[in-house]
Amino acid sequence: MDFDLQWLLWGLPVAFGLGWLASRLDIRQWKREQQESPRAYFKGLNLLLNEQQDKAIDAFIEAVQHDPGSSDLHFALGNLFRRRGEFERAVRVHEHLLQRADLGAAERQRAQYALAQDFMKAGLFDRAQAAFESLDGTPFETEARLALLGLHERARDWHAAADVAARLERSGTGSFAQRIAHHHCEMALQADDQGRADEAEAALAKAREIAPAAPRPWLQTGQRAFAAGRHAEALRAWNELRRRAPHAFALVAQDHARAALAADQVDAARQTLQQAYQEQPSTDLLRAIALLDPAPAERRQRLAVHLQQHPTLGAAAELLAEPPQDWAEGAVVGLKQAVTRAARPLQRYRCAACGFEAQHHFWQCPGCLSWDSYPPQRVEEQ
């Protein structure tokens, strides 16, 4: 059968023309869809920047309808729902993303992390924990572990919290030694509550080993010994606390004095407390010293000197507890300084619109520029 070349000459131009026409139709449709989708997307962004979240959500829903395959639009919509507290809708958006077969691995992990955040915000902690745990080995691993750490601490699951914190530290996220020490101190408290003294002691030993400079393990060790009547042991623990973390010693200063009285170590304890007071003066240390040196005249003299040098309300209250006729010289001056210093913040005017405080009354607030927003009364008189 002979092939007629004339059909070939006519067919090629026709096929080319039909192909060109089809491509033009596809391009026009694609351009139209692309124009409609960004228009709704940018409209949503503009409304979001103008803090019109309701309208922004409507715009993003419209954008998703025009481009249902765009994962970024779904993430934006889900985040908006979460910010508004509509956690159920946020969960549905992110679960819909996870069900898509065409979603890449990176986007799937991102959706899983967003879903875990939805559960967390909604108070569904069991589901949030499972979602965060599934992110091990992904780029969201560190964020997920930090969230898990907070979840375990909220649930007071201190063993799990310590394990997660240790993994974070091993991964190079940062130092969690002091936080882990707190976890072991909490384990010690739980063990003591349940009558497991050996376990409590082991937990405190572990805390001291993990964070030797942390104050709480030494403080709590002394408190356990003091409660058990082992006063000399308590003094050793608290002296170690003072050596390693002197700023926290005032927290147990009075118990330190009581333990010294019980252990007949008054002179050494008085010297320790006086030295601590010289380094970091406080009324707690003054009360502890007064337990070891209860002479009224010396106690009032120490209080008067402290009040003059450190005019605080706490010191003023201590002085006011003494009979006025027994006040030491200079006590009235210190009392006046303390009261004046404490009253100074209350002598200001405060804007009712923005809370801006000033020593002088303004008709127009310098902070928010509102007119007549300053009440004529000072803060303490309102």
Side-chain angles (χ1 to χ4, degrees):
M1 179 178 180
D2 295 336
F3 181 73
D4 191 352
L5 293 177
Q6 185 176 359
W7 287 106
L8 181 62
L9 293 175
W10 281 101
L12 284 176
V14 171
F16 177 79
L18 291 174
W20 179 83
L21 182 61
S23 67
R24 294 299 297 171
L25 291 174
D26 289 343
I27 290 174
R28 287 177 182 176
Q29 182 179 359
W30 178 80
K31 284 185 176 180
R32 184 166 57 253
E33 290 175 353
Q34 293 298 313
Q35 288 173 355
E36 290 175 352
S37 178
R39 189 180 300 117
Y41 179 70
F42 289 121
K43 178 183 177 183
L45 285 180
N46 184 54
L47 292 168
L48 186 60
L49 291 173
N50 290 325
E51 298 183 357
Q52 300 179 30
Q53 293 190 8
D54 290 331
K55 295 182 179 179
I57 286 177
D58 293 336
F60 278 121
I61 290 175
E62 180 184 350
V64 169
Q65 290 172 346
H66 288 143
D67 188 9
S70 173
S71 60
D72 286 333
L73 293 179
H74 284 78
F75 282 121
L77 188 59
N79 291 338
L80 270 177
F81 283 142
R82 190 194 309 133
R83 286 179 58 186
R84 286 177 52 84
E86 298 181 49
F87 305 120
E88 185 177 349
R89 300 179 75 181
V91 166
R92 286 206 303 269
V93 169
H94 294 131
E95 284 183 338
H96 170 71
L97 276 173
L98 286 172
Q99 291 169 2
R100 282 175 44 183
D102 62 333
L103 200 65
E107 294 296 282
R108 187 171 300 279
Q109 293 161 2
R110 181 183 173 191
Q112 182 69 28
Y113 180 62
L115 183 62
Q117 289 180 301
D118 296 338
F119 291 145
M120 182 82 166
K121 291 290 187 180
L124 304 173
F125 299 133
D126 290 342
R127 299 181 69 180
Q129 179 178 338
F132 282 126
E133 287 174 347
S134 68
L135 290 166
D136 268 355
T138 72
F140 297 96
E141 180 179 68
T142 298
E143 292 85 352
R145 285 180 178 174
L146 288 170
L148 280 172
L149 179 58
L151 276 173
H152 292 318
E153 289 178 344
R154 181 179 298 192
R156 305 187 70 80
D157 187 350
W158 304 115
H159 290 278
D163 179 63
V164 172
R167 283 191 288 165
L168 281 166
E169 184 162 318
R170 286 194 299 269
S171 67
T173 306
S175 176
F176 287 81
Q178 189 148 329
R179 195 160 175 176
I180 296 172
H182 280 297
H183 298 157
H184 284 281
C185 288
E186 292 290 345
M187 293 179 206
L189 290 176
Q190 286 183 344
D192 272 331
D193 289 342
Q194 296 167 4
R196 304 195 304 272
D198 292 342
E199 187 176 327
E201 185 58 41
L204 285 176
K206 186 68 174 178
R208 296 194 299 269
E209 177 188 347
I210 291 171
R216 185 181 178 183
W218 297 102
L219 185 147
Q220 198 166 319
T221 298
Q223 288 175 330
R224 288 189 76 253
F226 182 74
R230 303 192 302 270
H231 301 108
E233 182 181 337
L235 287 172
R236 286 194 296 271
W238 288 333
N239 286 335
E240 193 65 27
L241 165 68
R242 169 163 158 64
R243 186 178 73 83
R244 295 174 182 268
H247 63 280
F249 180 69
L251 294 172
V252 291
Q254 294 179 70
D255 283 340
H256 185 278
R258 295 186 184 98
L261 288 170
D264 196 20
Q265 298 185 27
V266 173
D267 293 338
R270 184 189 296 113
Q271 183 178 356
T272 298
L273 289 166
Q274 288 174 345
Q275 185 177 355
Y277 177 81
Q278 290 173 2
E279 295 170 359
Q280 293 181 323
S282 74
T283 53
D284 288 320
L285 290 167
L286 280 183
R287 295 189 193 104
I289 293 172
L291 290 173
L292 302 179
D293 187 8
E298 285 75 5
R299 183 179 70 250
R300 287 191 293 271
Q301 183 62 36
R302 285 191 298 266
L303 188 56
V305 172
H306 176 83
L307 192 56
Q308 285 184 293
Q309 296 175 350
H310 309 281
T312 63
L313 280 181
E318 290 283 330
L319 179 61
L320 289 172
E322 300 285 342
Q325 61 271 21
D326 294 335
W327 285 357
E329 185 178 355
V332 175
V333 175
L335 184 61
K336 181 179 178 181
Q337 290 176 343
V339 173
T340 301
R341 179 181 176 184
R344 192 175 296 125
L346 301 177
Q347 295 295 314
R348 299 173 181 172
Y349 296 93
R350 179 184 296 157
C351 173
C354 70
F356 187 91
E357 293 185 358
Q359 294 182 348
H360 304 285
H361 182 271
F362 289 97
W363 296 110
Q364 184 184 30
C365 174
C368 65
L369 303 181
S370 298
W371 289 99
D372 294 322
S373 59
Y374 272 84
Q377 295 85 18
R378 298 180 189 271
V379 172
E380 67 176 349
E381 296 170 345
Q382 294 178 16

mmCIF file of all heavy atoms in Angstrom, residues 32-64:
data_model
loop_
_atom_site.group_PDB
_atom_site.id
_atom_site.type_symbol
_atom_site.label_atom_id
_atom_site.label_comp_id
_atom_site.label_asym_id
_atom_site.label_seq_id
_atom_site.Cartn_x
_atom_site.Cartn_y
_atom_site.Cartn_z
ATOM 1 N N ARG A 32 -4.537 31.941 35.588
ATOM 2 C CA ARG A 32 -5.708 32.440 36.293
ATOM 3 C C ARG A 32 -5.753 31.903 37.726
ATOM 4 O O ARG A 32 -6.016 32.627 38.678
ATOM 5 C CB ARG A 32 -6.976 32.051 35.539
ATOM 6 C CG ARG A 32 -8.254 32.619 36.152
ATOM 7 C CD ARG A 32 -9.433 32.514 35.200
ATOM 8 N NE ARG A 32 -9.684 31.152 34.783
ATOM 9 C CZ ARG A 32 -9.412 30.675 33.556
ATOM 10 N NH1 ARG A 32 -8.889 31.465 32.633
ATOM 11 N NH2 ARG A 32 -9.677 29.407 33.247
ATOM 12 N N GLU A 33 -5.442 30.598 37.884
ATOM 13 C CA GLU A 33 -5.442 30.004 39.224
ATOM 14 C C GLU A 33 -4.342 30.606 40.092
ATOM 15 O O GLU A 33 -4.541 30.873 41.286
ATOM 16 C CB GLU A 33 -5.251 28.495 39.116
ATOM 17 C CG GLU A 33 -6.449 27.775 38.518
ATOM 18 C CD GLU A 33 -6.169 26.301 38.316
ATOM 19 O OE1 GLU A 33 -4.999 25.887 38.520
ATOM 20 O OE2 GLU A 33 -7.115 25.557 37.961
ATOM 21 N N GLN A 34 -3.172 30.810 39.470
ATOM 22 C CA GLN A 34 -2.067 31.375 40.237
ATOM 23 C C GLN A 34 -2.347 32.815 40.657
ATOM 24 O O GLN A 34 -1.912 33.263 41.719
ATOM 25 C CB GLN A 34 -0.763 31.314 39.434
ATOM 26 C CG GLN A 34 -0.254 29.904 39.202
ATOM 27 C CD GLN A 34 0.061 29.209 40.511
ATOM 28 O OE1 GLN A 34 0.719 29.772 41.383
ATOM 29 N NE2 GLN A 34 -0.437 27.987 40.663
ATOM 30 N N GLN A 35 -3.044 33.562 39.806
ATOM 31 C CA GLN A 35 -3.369 34.948 40.143
ATOM 32 C C GLN A 35 -4.410 35.019 41.248
ATOM 33 O O GLN A 35 -4.347 35.857 42.136
ATOM 34 C CB GLN A 35 -3.875 35.680 38.898
ATOM 35 C CG GLN A 35 -2.766 35.967 37.885
ATOM 36 C CD GLN A 35 -3.311 36.523 36.593
ATOM 37 O OE1 GLN A 35 -4.541 36.602 36.411
ATOM 38 N NE2 GLN A 35 -2.431 36.905 35.676
ATOM 39 N N GLU A 36 -5.393 34.099 41.176
ATOM 40 C CA GLU A 36 -6.446 34.121 42.191
ATOM 41 C C GLU A 36 -5.908 33.695 43.555
ATOM 42 O O GLU A 36 -6.246 34.290 44.579
ATOM 43 C CB GLU A 36 -7.588 33.183 41.758
ATOM 44 C CG GLU A 36 -8.369 33.708 40.565
ATOM 45 C CD GLU A 36 -9.396 32.701 40.105
ATOM 46 O OE1 GLU A 36 -9.371 31.562 40.632
ATOM 47 O OE2 GLU A 36 -10.214 33.037 39.230
ATOM 48 N N SER A 37 -5.054 32.673 43.581
ATOM 49 C CA SER A 37 -4.535 32.170 44.854
ATOM 50 C C SER A 37 -3.658 33.190 45.569
ATOM 51 O O SER A 37 -3.887 33.484 46.739
ATOM 52 C CB SER A 37 -3.781 30.861 44.625
ATOM 53 O OG SER A 37 -3.233 30.397 45.841
ATOM 54 N N PRO A 38 -2.624 33.789 44.902
ATOM 55 C CA PRO A 38 -1.832 34.796 45.609
ATOM 56 C C PRO A 38 -2.644 36.002 46.042
ATOM 57 O O PRO A 38 -2.372 36.598 47.080
ATOM 58 C CB PRO A 38 -0.766 35.181 44.588
ATOM 59 C CG PRO A 38 -0.668 34.020 43.678
ATOM 60 C CD PRO A 38 -2.054 33.470 43.607
ATOM 61 N N ARG A 39 -3.658 36.374 45.233
ATOM 62 C CA ARG A 39 -4.457 37.540 45.606
ATOM 63 C C ARG A 39 -5.139 37.306 46.944
ATOM 64 O O ARG A 39 -5.118 38.152 47.831
ATOM 65 C CB ARG A 39 -5.491 37.820 44.511
ATOM 66 C CG ARG A 39 -6.224 39.138 44.722
ATOM 67 C CD ARG A 39 -7.233 39.399 43.622
ATOM 68 N NE ARG A 39 -6.593 39.471 42.310
ATOM 69 C CZ ARG A 39 -6.833 38.631 41.322
ATOM 70 N NH1 ARG A 39 -7.687 37.630 41.487
ATOM 71 N NH2 ARG A 39 -6.229 38.762 40.160
ATOM 72 N N ALA A 40 -5.732 36.123 47.131
ATOM 73 C CA ALA A 40 -6.384 35.806 48.404
ATOM 74 C C ALA A 40 -5.350 35.655 49.522
ATOM 75 O O ALA A 40 -5.592 36.048 50.663
ATOM 76 C CB ALA A 40 -7.194 34.520 48.258
ATOM 77 N N TYR A 41 -4.198 35.106 49.169
ATOM 78 C CA TYR A 41 -3.142 34.906 50.175
ATOM 79 C C TYR A 41 -2.649 36.251 50.702
ATOM 80 O O TYR A 41 -2.538 36.465 51.924
ATOM 81 C CB TYR A 41 -2.007 34.104 49.548
ATOM 82 C CG TYR A 41 -0.848 33.857 50.469
ATOM 83 C CD1 TYR A 41 -0.964 32.991 51.547
ATOM 84 C CD2 TYR A 41 0.367 34.496 50.265
ATOM 85 C CE1 TYR A 41 0.103 32.754 52.396
ATOM 86 C CE2 TYR A 41 1.440 34.276 51.102
ATOM 87 C CZ TYR A 41 1.308 33.400 52.162
ATOM 88 O OH TYR A 41 2.362 33.186 53.001
ATOM 89 N N PHE A 42 -2.319 37.176 49.781
ATOM 90 C CA PHE A 42 -1.814 38.478 50.209
ATOM 91 C C PHE A 42 -2.904 39.297 50.906
ATOM 92 O O PHE A 42 -2.608 40.097 51.796
ATOM 93 C CB PHE A 42 -1.247 39.241 49.019
ATOM 94 C CG PHE A 42 0.049 38.671 48.506
ATOM 95 C CD1 PHE A 42 0.164 38.228 47.203
ATOM 96 C CD2 PHE A 42 1.156 38.564 49.347
ATOM 97 C CE1 PHE A 42 1.351 37.684 46.746
ATOM 98 C CE2 PHE A 42 2.342 38.023 48.887
ATOM 99 C CZ PHE A 42 2.447 37.581 47.586
ATOM 100 N N LYS A 43 -4.125 39.090 50.501
ATOM 101 C CA LYS A 43 -5.224 39.750 51.214
ATOM 102 C C LYS A 43 -5.276 39.272 52.669
ATOM 103 O O LYS A 43 -5.451 40.067 53.592
ATOM 104 C CB LYS A 43 -6.550 39.443 50.514
ATOM 105 C CG LYS A 43 -7.766 40.040 51.193
ATOM 106 C CD LYS A 43 -9.039 39.629 50.468
ATOM 107 C CE LYS A 43 -10.284 40.159 51.188
ATOM 108 N NZ LYS A 43 -11.526 39.710 50.519
ATOM 109 N N GLY A 44 -5.091 37.951 52.853
ATOM 110 C CA GLY A 44 -5.060 37.411 54.219
ATOM 111 C C GLY A 44 -3.909 37.959 55.030
ATOM 112 O O GLY A 44 -4.064 38.300 56.206
ATOM 113 N N LEU A 45 -2.739 38.072 54.412
ATOM 114 C CA LEU A 45 -1.588 38.639 55.122
ATOM 115 C C LEU A 45 -1.850 40.084 55.529
ATOM 116 O O LEU A 45 -1.506 40.500 56.643
ATOM 117 C CB LEU A 45 -0.343 38.562 54.233
ATOM 118 C CG LEU A 45 0.315 37.194 54.073
ATOM 119 C CD1 LEU A 45 1.522 37.302 53.153
ATOM 120 C CD2 LEU A 45 0.747 36.640 55.429
ATOM 121 N N ASN A 46 -2.425 40.851 54.621
ATOM 122 C CA ASN A 46 -2.707 42.253 54.920
ATOM 123 C C ASN A 46 -3.691 42.375 56.078
ATOM 124 O O ASN A 46 -3.503 43.198 56.989
ATOM 125 C CB ASN A 46 -3.268 42.936 53.672
ATOM 126 C CG ASN A 46 -3.499 44.415 53.895
ATOM 127 O OD1 ASN A 46 -2.603 45.146 54.293
ATOM 128 N ND2 ASN A 46 -4.723 44.858 53.641
ATOM 129 N N LEU A 47 -4.723 41.553 56.076
ATOM 130 C CA LEU A 47 -5.700 41.580 57.173
ATOM 131 C C LEU A 47 -5.052 41.129 58.480
ATOM 132 O O LEU A 47 -5.366 41.668 59.556
ATOM 133 C CB LEU A 47 -6.886 40.671 56.832
ATOM 134 C CG LEU A 47 -7.775 41.156 55.682
ATOM 135 C CD1 LEU A 47 -8.721 40.051 55.241
ATOM 136 C CD2 LEU A 47 -8.569 42.388 56.112
ATOM 137 N N LEU A 48 -4.156 40.161 58.392
ATOM 138 C CA LEU A 48 -3.477 39.677 59.597
ATOM 139 C C LEU A 48 -2.600 40.765 60.196
ATOM 140 O O LEU A 48 -2.564 40.955 61.415
ATOM 141 C CB LEU A 48 -2.640 38.443 59.262
ATOM 142 C CG LEU A 48 -1.976 37.717 60.430
ATOM 143 C CD1 LEU A 48 -3.031 37.230 61.423
ATOM 144 C CD2 LEU A 48 -1.150 36.542 59.934
ATOM 145 N N LEU A 49 -1.884 41.495 59.348
ATOM 146 C CA LEU A 49 -1.046 42.591 59.831
ATOM 147 C C LEU A 49 -1.880 43.702 60.449
ATOM 148 O O LEU A 49 -1.405 44.418 61.341
ATOM 149 C CB LEU A 49 -0.201 43.141 58.674
ATOM 150 C CG LEU A 49 0.907 42.206 58.158
ATOM 151 C CD1 LEU A 49 1.561 42.788 56.924
ATOM 152 C CD2 LEU A 49 1.947 41.962 59.246
ATOM 153 N N ASN A 50 -3.104 43.856 59.968
ATOM 154 C CA ASN A 50 -4.002 44.863 60.528
ATOM 155 C C ASN A 50 -4.813 44.329 61.706
ATOM 156 O O ASN A 50 -5.763 44.975 62.142
ATOM 157 C CB ASN A 50 -4.958 45.377 59.447
ATOM 158 C CG ASN A 50 -4.243 46.217 58.409
ATOM 159 O OD1 ASN A 50 -3.309 46.943 58.739
ATOM 160 N ND2 ASN A 50 -4.667 46.109 57.159
ATOM 161 N N GLU A 51 -4.424 43.137 62.193
ATOM 162 C CA GLU A 51 -5.037 42.521 63.364
ATOM 163 C C GLU A 51 -6.532 42.255 63.169
ATOM 164 O O GLU A 51 -7.326 42.363 64.087
ATOM 165 C CB GLU A 51 -4.807 43.368 64.618
ATOM 166 C CG GLU A 51 -3.330 43.512 64.972
ATOM 167 C CD GLU A 51 -3.104 44.283 66.258
ATOM 168 O OE1 GLU A 51 -4.100 44.747 66.833
ATOM 169 O OE2 GLU A 51 -1.939 44.412 66.658
ATOM 170 N N GLN A 52 -6.903 41.932 61.933
ATOM 171 C CA GLN A 52 -8.281 41.541 61.635
ATOM 172 C C GLN A 52 -8.282 40.033 61.368
ATOM 173 O O GLN A 52 -8.393 39.573 60.231
ATOM 174 C CB GLN A 52 -8.814 42.312 60.427
ATOM 175 C CG GLN A 52 -8.815 43.822 60.639
ATOM 176 C CD GLN A 52 -9.332 44.574 59.424
ATOM 177 O OE1 GLN A 52 -10.159 44.062 58.667
ATOM 178 N NE2 GLN A 52 -8.847 45.786 59.228
ATOM 179 N N GLN A 53 -8.163 39.261 62.434
ATOM 180 C CA GLN A 53 -7.925 37.828 62.288
ATOM 181 C C GLN A 53 -9.127 37.095 61.704
ATOM 182 O O GLN A 53 -8.967 36.132 60.961
ATOM 183 C CB GLN A 53 -7.535 37.230 63.639
ATOM 184 C CG GLN A 53 -6.196 37.720 64.145
ATOM 185 C CD GLN A 53 -5.720 36.931 65.354
ATOM 186 O OE1 GLN A 53 -6.308 35.929 65.730
ATOM 187 N NE2 GLN A 53 -4.654 37.397 65.971
ATOM 188 N N ASP A 54 -10.335 37.527 62.029
ATOM 189 C CA ASP A 54 -11.519 36.854 61.478
ATOM 190 C C ASP A 54 -11.532 36.941 59.950
ATOM 191 O O ASP A 54 -11.736 35.936 59.250
ATOM 192 C CB ASP A 54 -12.794 37.470 62.046
ATOM 193 C CG ASP A 54 -12.976 37.145 63.515
ATOM 194 O OD1 ASP A 54 -12.495 36.077 63.926
ATOM 195 O OD2 ASP A 54 -13.574 37.942 64.246
ATOM 196 N N LYS A 55 -11.306 38.143 59.432
ATOM 197 C CA LYS A 55 -11.291 38.322 57.984
ATOM 198 C C LYS A 55 -10.083 37.636 57.358
ATOM 199 O O LYS A 55 -10.163 37.132 56.231
ATOM 200 C CB LYS A 55 -11.304 39.816 57.637
ATOM 201 C CG LYS A 55 -12.585 40.528 58.049
ATOM 202 C CD LYS A 55 -12.546 41.991 57.643
ATOM 203 C CE LYS A 55 -13.849 42.699 58.039
ATOM 204 N NZ LYS A 55 -13.821 44.133 57.673
ATOM 205 N N ALA A 56 -8.961 37.614 58.095
ATOM 206 C CA ALA A 56 -7.763 36.944 57.581
ATOM 207 C C ALA A 56 -8.016 35.451 57.403
ATOM 208 O O ALA A 56 -7.596 34.847 56.412
ATOM 209 C CB ALA A 56 -6.584 37.183 58.521
ATOM 210 N N ILE A 57 -8.709 34.859 58.355
ATOM 211 C CA ILE A 57 -9.024 33.427 58.253
ATOM 212 C C ILE A 57 -9.897 33.161 57.034
ATOM 213 O O ILE A 57 -9.671 32.210 56.286
ATOM 214 C CB ILE A 57 -9.704 32.943 59.545
ATOM 215 C CG1 ILE A 57 -8.659 32.840 60.675
ATOM 216 C CG2 ILE A 57 -10.374 31.599 59.339
ATOM 217 C CD1 ILE A 57 -9.246 32.452 62.002
ATOM 218 N N ASP A 58 -10.885 34.015 56.805
ATOM 219 C CA ASP A 58 -11.738 33.843 55.624
ATOM 220 C C ASP A 58 -10.918 33.927 54.338
ATOM 221 O O ASP A 58 -11.138 33.154 53.390
ATOM 222 C CB ASP A 58 -12.840 34.902 55.616
ATOM 223 C CG ASP A 58 -13.835 34.714 56.758
ATOM 224 O OD1 ASP A 58 -13.941 33.569 57.250
ATOM 225 O OD2 ASP A 58 -14.489 35.696 57.156
ATOM 226 N N ALA A 59 -9.973 34.865 54.305
ATOM 227 C CA ALA A 59 -9.141 35.023 53.108
ATOM 228 C C ALA A 59 -8.251 33.805 52.889
ATOM 229 O O ALA A 59 -8.071 33.342 51.752
ATOM 230 C CB ALA A 59 -8.292 36.288 53.224
ATOM 231 N N PHE A 60 -7.698 33.259 53.969
ATOM 232 C CA PHE A 60 -6.841 32.085 53.835
ATOM 233 C C PHE A 60 -7.657 30.855 53.423
ATOM 234 O O PHE A 60 -7.176 30.001 52.662
ATOM 235 C CB PHE A 60 -6.096 31.812 55.139
ATOM 236 C CG PHE A 60 -4.863 32.665 55.310
ATOM 237 C CD1 PHE A 60 -4.739 33.513 56.395
ATOM 238 C CD2 PHE A 60 -3.832 32.610 54.394
ATOM 239 C CE1 PHE A 60 -3.615 34.295 56.549
ATOM 240 C CE2 PHE A 60 -2.697 33.379 54.548
ATOM 241 C CZ PHE A 60 -2.583 34.237 55.619
ATOM 242 N N ILE A 61 -8.881 30.745 53.934
ATOM 243 C CA ILE A 61 -9.738 29.629 53.514
ATOM 244 C C ILE A 61 -10.018 29.729 52.017
ATOM 245 O O ILE A 61 -9.988 28.729 51.283
ATOM 246 C CB ILE A 61 -11.045 29.629 54.326
ATOM 247 C CG1 ILE A 61 -10.756 29.240 55.782
ATOM 248 C CG2 ILE A 61 -12.063 28.684 53.707
ATOM 249 C CD1 ILE A 61 -11.956 29.326 56.693
ATOM 250 N N GLU A 62 -10.250 30.955 51.542
ATOM 251 C CA GLU A 62 -10.472 31.162 50.109
ATOM 252 C C GLU A 62 -9.227 30.774 49.309
ATOM 253 O O GLU A 62 -9.314 30.133 48.253
ATOM 254 C CB GLU A 62 -10.828 32.627 49.851
ATOM 255 C CG GLU A 62 -11.070 32.955 48.379
ATOM 256 C CD GLU A 62 -11.310 34.437 48.174
ATOM 257 O OE1 GLU A 62 -11.471 35.165 49.178
ATOM 258 O OE2 GLU A 62 -11.316 34.869 46.995
ATOM 259 N N ALA A 63 -8.039 31.134 49.839
ATOM 260 C CA ALA A 63 -6.793 30.791 49.150
ATOM 261 C C ALA A 63 -6.597 29.284 49.095
ATOM 262 O O ALA A 63 -6.157 28.729 48.081
ATOM 263 C CB ALA A 63 -5.610 31.465 49.851
ATOM 264 N N VAL A 64 -6.930 28.595 50.176
ATOM 265 C CA VAL A 64 -6.793 27.134 50.208
ATOM 266 C C VAL A 64 -7.749 26.484 49.214
ATOM 267 O O VAL A 64 -7.412 25.484 48.565
ATOM 268 C CB VAL A 64 -7.043 26.613 51.637
ATOM 269 C CG1 VAL A 64 -7.184 25.102 51.649
ATOM 270 C CG2 VAL A 64 -5.901 27.030 52.556
#
